[in-house]
Amino acid sequence: GAGVSQTPSNKVTEKGKYVELRCDPISGHTALYWYRQSLGQGPEFLIYFQGTGAADDSGLPNDRFFAVRPEGSVSTLKIQRTERGDSAVYLCASSPEAGGRDEQFFGPGTRLTVL
Amino acid sequence: AQSVTQPDIHITVSEGASLELRCNYSYGATPYLFWYVQSPGQGLQLLLKYFSGDTLVQGIKGFEAEFKRSQSSFNLRKPSVHWSDAAEYFCAVDRRAVGGYQKVTFGTGTKLQVIP
């Protein structure tokens, strides 16, 4: 079946611009996670959704970052007033449920470059 | 606080040689542990996971890992490396949050180079 998809695969923007990154999780997966992976680092947790609600947004670096999941499936990560330090690969992952022993299934990521 | 340490940033092995990638974690309770692999342009793929029970875990692609509580380690091994194993490998720890959901911390990764 289809895995997690993310669009766009690459995004180049200028400092100060607004960007939206999209994640389509595996159908039926209720849990959705966003991570940020900077060069030479492992993924870092940003936010977790259970259904439509953001149950844990403790990883968002500041209030320029925001994410939504209005219908409990597709999620959008929004970054306002982008800065060069926001350049990274943004990964989305989903799992069938919040707990349990299922692993997270990752998408290929969106590479964001802020010039 | 929890952390995951992968002390080797880069490892080079010959094709057919054995491999061991090190991972140490810091966590107060029994952890849930994972190894993921990331190939260029690909998403993270789970190799194996440990939740409880047998401390030697078998995964895909011929990989295995051993959980050693006394050493706070979860090292990844493969008896004979193939050129297609060249990738970056991440160890991860899942600390279940109060709501019961996964809260995963990744190590910084180990890049594996395989030479003929």
Side-chain angles (χ1 to χ4, degrees):
Chain A
V4 178
S5 62
Q6 293 186 245
T7 54
S9 55
N10 280 283
K11 177 70 177 178
V12 180
T13 190
E14 295 179 342
K15 181 176 178 296
K17 298 290 189 182
Y18 168 82
V19 296
E20 290 189 352
L21 312 179
R22 176 187 169 106
C23 171
D24 277 274
I26 293 172
S27 178
H29 282 195
T30 59
L32 185 145
Y33 307 80
W34 282 98
Y35 293 84
R36 178 167 73 174
Q37 186 174 17
S38 301
L39 195 62
Q41 300 295 316
E44 294 178 302
F45 170 83
L46 294 177
I47 187 168
Y48 156 68
F49 285 90
Q50 179 55 37
T52 60
D56 183 346
D57 64 359
S58 62
L60 295 178
N62 51 60
D63 61 6
R64 295 186 297 105
F65 289 74
F66 187 71
V68 296
R69 194 185 185 198
E71 298 179 356
S73 56
V74 171
S75 176
T76 305
L77 179 65
K78 307 180 180 192
I79 310 175
Q80 299 177 321
R81 305 183 304 280
T82 52
E83 300 178 356
R84 293 194 178 88
D86 299 335
S87 296
V89 175
Y90 290 81
L91 298 169
C92 176
S94 69
S95 64
E97 58 180 10
R101 299 190 171 192
D102 296 298
E103 72 269 23
Q104 297 180 22
F105 296 83
F106 282 82
T110 293
R111 181 175 299 278
L112 174 66
T113 303
V114 182
L115 301 177
Chain B
Q2 65 175 18
S3 67
V4 181
T5 303
Q6 293 181 249
D8 303 307
I9 297 172
H10 190 274
I11 282 183
T12 300
V13 299
S14 299
E15 190 168 15
S18 63
L19 171 71
E20 182 169 29
L21 302 183
R22 295 182 291 166
C23 173
N24 291 94
Y25 64 89
S26 170
Y27 181 51
T30 300
Y32 299 151
L33 297 159
F34 304 86
W35 275 99
Y36 282 87
V37 61
Q38 187 176 41
S39 300
Q42 305 282 322
L44 287 156
Q45 181 184 21
L46 181 74
L47 288 175
L48 46 79
K49 59 187 176 184
Y50 171 79
F51 283 95
S52 64
D54 193 347
T55 56
L56 185 62
V57 181
Q58 301 297 320
I60 63 171
K61 304 184 179 185
F63 285 93
E64 66 177 26
E66 186 171 12
F67 170 59
K68 292 185 177 180
R69 185 188 302 276
S70 62
Q71 298 177 20
S72 297
S73 69
F74 189 56
N75 294 349
L76 182 71
R77 301 193 295 247
K78 185 168 184 177
S80 177
V81 170
H82 188 262
W83 64 267
S84 61
D85 293 325
E88 189 156 21
Y89 292 80
F90 292 93
C91 182
V93 173
D94 173 16
R95 177 198 69 185
R96 288 300 158 104
V98 172
Y101 58 90
Q102 298 178 12
K103 194 81 179 274
V104 179
T105 297
F106 287 84
T108 52
T110 298
K111 285 187 179 175
L112 174 64
Q113 181 182 11
V114 181
I115 57 177

